Amino acid sequence: MDDKISSELINEFLSQLPERALNLGLRILLAVIFFLLGIHLIKFIRKIIRKSMKRANAELGVIQFVDSFLKASFYALLVMLLASAFGVDAASVVAVVGSAGVAIGLAVQGSLSNLAGGVLILALKPFKVGDYIRESYSEKEGTVTEIQIFYTKLLTPDNQTVVLPNGNLANNSLVNVTTQEARRMDISVGISYQADLKRAKEVLNAILAGDEAVLKDRDMLVYVSELSSSCVMLGVRCWFKQEDFWAGKWRITENCKLALDENEIKIAYNQLDVHLDTGEERRA
């Protein structure tokens, strides 16, 4: 009798298997189609929001942050909708996520800190996309290219991309080099004690006065900064616009060397005088 019942159940299962497989295959196919449609819809919505924010003259960093946040949110919503289509109760999913909230929070506390840091960066605006910053935590520096939900990307002068957690940037000190329109340049030149000090200062002042990129309405100074053991240290100070700073500093440094050479003003360098004891003094 039991064998007969088992045989009937197996036959019933086998008879219903093609229909169930077809239904499951159709549901998977529809899920894939809706997933692909959802991806295109998410991209379309994000594109509209980005254009709207650009027309509203929102900062690029704000646009990038909002776009990455919406992307994560929309994909999570799409996955929940597809799960509901497969018969998974959305309320059950929310309940499970809620009950596991403490564990999830502990597991992703670093990410939550980075998310909060990103919000603080956008709210307080210590820097924005396009600024050149130098942060103290990992001593990295570069131009800010992206501000995302959890990370900020920098482009270094040697064309490397550095990814920094927003939490570290928000909780540690940093230097924003490009906040101000002008930047001061300071270089040091050591001349020999035998050189004509006044003439050297005249030569260096002439270099500053003759450079077109130097801001003439700011301080231009050539001064004695130190009387060291082997040379007289002269400080050369002037101001450039941010975009002219590095080219100007390199140019001024080179011109100082060339001008001092032309005027036969010796640039000092470290040297060591060695006196040999031949023994004659001891015999004397």
Side-chain angles (χ1 to χ4, degrees):
M1 185 67 179
D2 292 339
D3 294 339
K4 184 178 180 180
I5 293 174
S6 299
S7 177
E8 289 178 355
L9 291 175
I10 293 173
N11 291 333
E12 183 180 356
F13 174 77
L14 292 176
S15 63
Q16 294 177 356
L17 182 60
E19 183 180 354
R20 291 182 178 180
L22 179 61
N23 291 334
L24 180 61
L26 288 174
R27 292 173 68 179
I28 294 176
L29 178 61
L30 290 174
V32 172
I33 293 174
F34 281 120
F35 181 75
L36 295 176
L37 291 175
I39 290 176
H40 288 290
L41 180 60
I42 290 172
K43 290 181 179 179
F44 179 71
I45 295 174
R46 289 169 55 202
K47 184 178 180 181
I48 292 176
I49 294 176
R50 286 198 301 268
K51 287 185 176 180
S52 300
M53 295 182 71
K54 287 180 180 178
R55 285 197 295 268
N57 295 323
E59 291 185 1
L60 182 57
V62 177
I63 296 174
Q64 293 172 345
F65 184 88
V66 171
D67 180 62
S68 56
F69 181 80
L70 290 177
K71 180 181 178 180
S73 301
F74 283 150
Y75 273 104
L77 179 61
L78 178 60
V79 171
M80 292 186 64
L81 291 175
L82 291 176
S84 299
F86 272 87
V88 179
D89 188 4
S92 301
V93 175
V94 173
V96 171
V97 173
S99 62
V102 176
I104 294 174
L106 292 174
V108 300
Q109 58 181 344
S111 297
L112 293 177
S113 174
N114 292 334
L115 175 60
V119 174
L120 288 175
I121 289 172
L122 293 178
L124 301 178
K125 298 180 180 179
F127 58 84
K128 61 182 184 298
V129 174
D131 286 350
Y132 190 95
I133 65 172
R134 186 184 303 116
E135 59 91 25
S136 61
Y137 182 78
S138 59
E139 298 182 352
K140 301 294 185 181
E141 61 180 276
T143 303
V144 180
T145 57
E146 292 184 37
I147 303 175
Q148 298 184 353
I149 300 180
F150 303 112
Y151 300 96
T152 292
K153 292 183 178 181
L154 306 182
L155 184 65
T156 63
D158 56 349
N159 204 36
Q160 297 184 44
T161 298
V162 178
V163 181
L164 299 174
N166 287 336
N168 292 341
L169 290 175
N171 296 324
N172 293 280
S173 62
L174 59 86
V175 177
N176 191 332
V177 178
T178 54
T179 301
Q180 304 298 324
E181 293 182 359
R183 184 175 176 183
R184 194 181 75 187
M185 181 215 73
D186 288 278
I187 61 174
S188 297
V189 180
I191 63 172
S192 169
Y193 273 99
Q194 288 73 35
D196 188 338
L197 177 59
K198 292 183 178 180
R199 178 56 183 164
K201 293 179 67 176
E202 291 175 359
V203 170
L204 298 179
N205 273 311
I207 292 173
L208 298 181
D211 194 291
E212 295 182 355
V214 173
L215 299 178
K216 303 303 188 295
D217 57 341
R218 298 273 190 146
D219 294 338
M220 294 187 300
L221 297 175
V222 177
Y223 56 93
V224 178
S225 62
E226 182 184 357
L227 299 176
S228 68
S229 59
S230 59
C231 66
V232 178
M233 295 299 300
L234 299 180
V236 181
R237 174 177 296 175
C238 64
W239 292 78
F240 291 102
K241 291 182 178 179
Q242 286 288 353
E243 59 269 22
D244 298 331
F245 177 79
W246 287 110
K249 182 175 183 177
W250 297 330
R251 184 174 59 254
I252 292 293
T253 303
E254 179 179 347
N255 289 340
C256 286
K257 171 65 169 65
L258 296 176
L260 291 175
D261 287 345
E262 290 177 0
N263 287 270
E264 299 181 351
I265 298 173
K266 185 179 180 181
I267 297 178
Y269 54 89
N270 292 330
Q271 55 184 348
L272 178 66
D273 293 333
V274 179
H275 299 275
L276 298 178
D277 186 0
T278 60
E280 296 180 357
E281 295 180 357
R282 290 197 303 269
R283 288 194 298 271

PDB file of all heavy atoms in Angstrom, residues 22 28 32 35 66 76 85 138 177 187 206 217 219 246 266:
ATOM      1  N   LEU A  22       8.559  25.263 -16.191  1.00  0.00           N
ATOM      2  CA  LEU A  22       8.224  26.325 -17.142  1.00  0.00           C
ATOM      3  C   LEU A  22       7.864  27.608 -16.414  1.00  0.00           C
ATOM      4  O   LEU A  22       8.305  28.704 -16.796  1.00  0.00           O
ATOM      5  CB  LEU A  22       7.073  25.869 -18.034  1.00  0.00           C
ATOM      6  CG  LEU A  22       6.595  26.881 -19.076  1.00  0.00           C
ATOM      7  CD1 LEU A  22       7.730  27.231 -20.034  1.00  0.00           C
ATOM      8  CD2 LEU A  22       5.389  26.330 -19.855  1.00  0.00           C
ATOM      9  N   ILE A  28      12.026  33.551 -13.825  1.00  0.00           N
ATOM     10  CA  ILE A  28      13.437  33.967 -13.879  1.00  0.00           C
ATOM     11  C   ILE A  28      13.681  34.874 -15.076  1.00  0.00           C
ATOM     12  O   ILE A  28      14.377  35.893 -14.972  1.00  0.00           O
ATOM     13  CB  ILE A  28      14.349  32.729 -13.930  1.00  0.00           C
ATOM     14  CG1 ILE A  28      14.262  31.943 -12.624  1.00  0.00           C
ATOM     15  CG2 ILE A  28      15.797  33.128 -14.216  1.00  0.00           C
ATOM     16  CD1 ILE A  28      15.054  30.647 -12.630  1.00  0.00           C
ATOM     17  N   VAL A  32      14.930  38.718 -14.942  1.00  0.00           N
ATOM     18  CA  VAL A  32      16.105  39.232 -15.649  1.00  0.00           C
ATOM     19  C   VAL A  32      15.722  40.430 -16.514  1.00  0.00           C
ATOM     20  O   VAL A  32      16.432  41.455 -16.552  1.00  0.00           O
ATOM     21  CB  VAL A  32      16.744  38.121 -16.504  1.00  0.00           C
ATOM     22  CG1 VAL A  32      17.857  38.694 -17.394  1.00  0.00           C
ATOM     23  CG2 VAL A  32      17.301  37.011 -15.628  1.00  0.00           C
ATOM     24  N   PHE A  35      15.053  43.332 -14.316  1.00  0.00           N
ATOM     25  CA  PHE A  35      16.314  43.823 -13.753  1.00  0.00           C
ATOM     26  C   PHE A  35      17.052  44.702 -14.757  1.00  0.00           C
ATOM     27  O   PHE A  35      17.555  45.779 -14.411  1.00  0.00           O
ATOM     28  CB  PHE A  35      17.175  42.638 -13.329  1.00  0.00           C
ATOM     29  CG  PHE A  35      18.481  43.041 -12.710  1.00  0.00           C
ATOM     30  CD1 PHE A  35      18.533  43.547 -11.425  1.00  0.00           C
ATOM     31  CD2 PHE A  35      19.674  42.931 -13.424  1.00  0.00           C
ATOM     32  CE1 PHE A  35      19.746  43.924 -10.849  1.00  0.00           C
ATOM     33  CE2 PHE A  35      20.875  43.304 -12.861  1.00  0.00           C
ATOM     34  CZ  PHE A  35      20.918  43.803 -11.570  1.00  0.00           C
ATOM     35  N   VAL A  66      25.461  62.853  -4.271  1.00  0.00           N
ATOM     36  CA  VAL A  66      24.042  62.524  -4.409  1.00  0.00           C
ATOM     37  C   VAL A  66      23.851  61.412  -5.438  1.00  0.00           C
ATOM     38  O   VAL A  66      23.038  60.494  -5.248  1.00  0.00           O
ATOM     39  CB  VAL A  66      23.234  63.782  -4.801  1.00  0.00           C
ATOM     40  CG1 VAL A  66      21.798  63.416  -5.164  1.00  0.00           C
ATOM     41  CG2 VAL A  66      23.255  64.789  -3.661  1.00  0.00           C
ATOM     42  N   ALA A  76      19.200  48.872  -4.295  1.00  0.00           N
ATOM     43  CA  ALA A  76      18.627  48.131  -3.161  1.00  0.00           C
ATOM     44  C   ALA A  76      17.122  47.994  -3.319  1.00  0.00           C
ATOM     45  O   ALA A  76      16.544  46.916  -3.073  1.00  0.00           O
ATOM     46  CB  ALA A  76      18.968  48.848  -1.853  1.00  0.00           C
ATOM     47  N   ALA A  85       8.684  39.825  -6.249  1.00  0.00           N
ATOM     48  CA  ALA A  85       8.114  39.162  -7.422  1.00  0.00           C
ATOM     49  C   ALA A  85       8.299  37.654  -7.358  1.00  0.00           C
ATOM     50  O   ALA A  85       7.503  36.893  -7.924  1.00  0.00           O
ATOM     51  CB  ALA A  85       8.757  39.719  -8.690  1.00  0.00           C
ATOM     52  N   SER A 138      47.369  60.190   6.333  1.00  0.00           N
ATOM     53  CA  SER A 138      48.276  59.333   5.551  1.00  0.00           C
ATOM     54  C   SER A 138      49.301  60.143   4.768  1.00  0.00           C
ATOM     55  O   SER A 138      50.054  59.585   3.982  1.00  0.00           O
ATOM     56  CB  SER A 138      47.468  58.458   4.581  1.00  0.00           C
ATOM     57  OG  SER A 138      46.693  59.266   3.699  1.00  0.00           O
ATOM     58  N   VAL A 177      45.345  73.865  -0.241  1.00  0.00           N
ATOM     59  CA  VAL A 177      46.351  74.752  -0.823  1.00  0.00           C
ATOM     60  C   VAL A 177      45.726  75.803  -1.725  1.00  0.00           C
ATOM     61  O   VAL A 177      46.207  76.933  -1.819  1.00  0.00           O
ATOM     62  CB  VAL A 177      47.398  73.926  -1.604  1.00  0.00           C
ATOM     63  CG1 VAL A 177      48.429  74.831  -2.260  1.00  0.00           C
ATOM     64  CG2 VAL A 177      48.084  72.930  -0.675  1.00  0.00           C
ATOM     65  N   ILE A 187      62.039  80.987  -1.249  1.00  0.00           N
ATOM     66  CA  ILE A 187      63.202  80.162  -1.541  1.00  0.00           C
ATOM     67  C   ILE A 187      64.393  80.747  -0.793  1.00  0.00           C
ATOM     68  O   ILE A 187      64.389  81.919  -0.401  1.00  0.00           O
ATOM     69  CB  ILE A 187      63.515  80.084  -3.055  1.00  0.00           C
ATOM     70  CG1 ILE A 187      63.818  81.477  -3.623  1.00  0.00           C
ATOM     71  CG2 ILE A 187      62.380  79.436  -3.818  1.00  0.00           C
ATOM     72  CD1 ILE A 187      64.271  81.445  -5.071  1.00  0.00           C
ATOM     73  N   ALA A 206      65.976  92.597  -8.501  1.00  0.00           N
ATOM     74  CA  ALA A 206      65.717  92.878  -9.921  1.00  0.00           C
ATOM     75  C   ALA A 206      65.025  91.699 -10.593  1.00  0.00           C
ATOM     76  O   ALA A 206      64.186  91.888 -11.486  1.00  0.00           O
ATOM     77  CB  ALA A 206      67.037  93.210 -10.618  1.00  0.00           C
ATOM     78  N   ASP A 217      51.569  93.977  -6.314  1.00  0.00           N
ATOM     79  CA  ASP A 217      50.867  94.635  -5.215  1.00  0.00           C
ATOM     80  C   ASP A 217      51.043  93.884  -3.900  1.00  0.00           C
ATOM     81  O   ASP A 217      50.477  94.273  -2.872  1.00  0.00           O
ATOM     82  CB  ASP A 217      49.384  94.773  -5.527  1.00  0.00           C
ATOM     83  CG  ASP A 217      48.710  93.437  -5.827  1.00  0.00           C
ATOM     84  OD1 ASP A 217      49.433  92.473  -6.144  1.00  0.00           O
ATOM     85  OD2 ASP A 217      47.473  93.361  -5.740  1.00  0.00           O
ATOM     86  N   ASP A 219      53.942  91.756  -1.166  1.00  0.00           N
ATOM     87  CA  ASP A 219      55.321  91.921  -0.694  1.00  0.00           C
ATOM     88  C   ASP A 219      56.307  91.218  -1.617  1.00  0.00           C
ATOM     89  O   ASP A 219      56.101  90.062  -2.008  1.00  0.00           O
ATOM     90  CB  ASP A 219      55.466  91.349   0.714  1.00  0.00           C
ATOM     91  CG  ASP A 219      54.654  92.135   1.729  1.00  0.00           C
ATOM     92  OD1 ASP A 219      54.350  93.296   1.447  1.00  0.00           O
ATOM     93  OD2 ASP A 219      54.340  91.578   2.793  1.00  0.00           O
ATOM     94  N   TRP A 246      53.808  77.119  -9.281  1.00  0.00           N
ATOM     95  CA  TRP A 246      54.917  76.192  -9.473  1.00  0.00           C
ATOM     96  C   TRP A 246      55.825  76.618 -10.618  1.00  0.00           C
ATOM     97  O   TRP A 246      57.050  76.590 -10.486  1.00  0.00           O
ATOM     98  CB  TRP A 246      54.391  74.779  -9.699  1.00  0.00           C
ATOM     99  CG  TRP A 246      53.868  74.170  -8.439  1.00  0.00           C
ATOM    100  CD1 TRP A 246      52.574  73.903  -8.118  1.00  0.00           C
ATOM    101  CD2 TRP A 246      54.644  73.794  -7.292  1.00  0.00           C
ATOM    102  NE1 TRP A 246      52.483  73.380  -6.852  1.00  0.00           N
ATOM    103  CE2 TRP A 246      53.742  73.290  -6.322  1.00  0.00           C
ATOM    104  CE3 TRP A 246      55.999  73.825  -7.003  1.00  0.00           C
ATOM    105  CZ2 TRP A 246      54.163  72.839  -5.080  1.00  0.00           C
ATOM    106  CZ3 TRP A 246      56.429  73.375  -5.760  1.00  0.00           C
ATOM    107  CH2 TRP A 246      55.518  72.885  -4.815  1.00  0.00           C
ATOM    108  N   LYS A 266      79.403  84.474  -5.653  1.00  0.00           N
ATOM    109  CA  LYS A 266      79.606  83.057  -5.397  1.00  0.00           C
ATOM    110  C   LYS A 266      78.501  82.495  -4.500  1.00  0.00           C
ATOM    111  O   LYS A 266      78.214  83.032  -3.435  1.00  0.00           O
ATOM    112  CB  LYS A 266      80.972  82.834  -4.750  1.00  0.00           C
ATOM    113  CG  LYS A 266      81.329  81.367  -4.554  1.00  0.00           C
ATOM    114  CD  LYS A 266      82.708  81.231  -3.935  1.00  0.00           C
ATOM    115  CE  LYS A 266      83.075  79.768  -3.740  1.00  0.00           C
ATOM    116  NZ  LYS A 266      84.412  79.611  -3.107  1.00  0.00           N
TER     117      LYS A 266
END
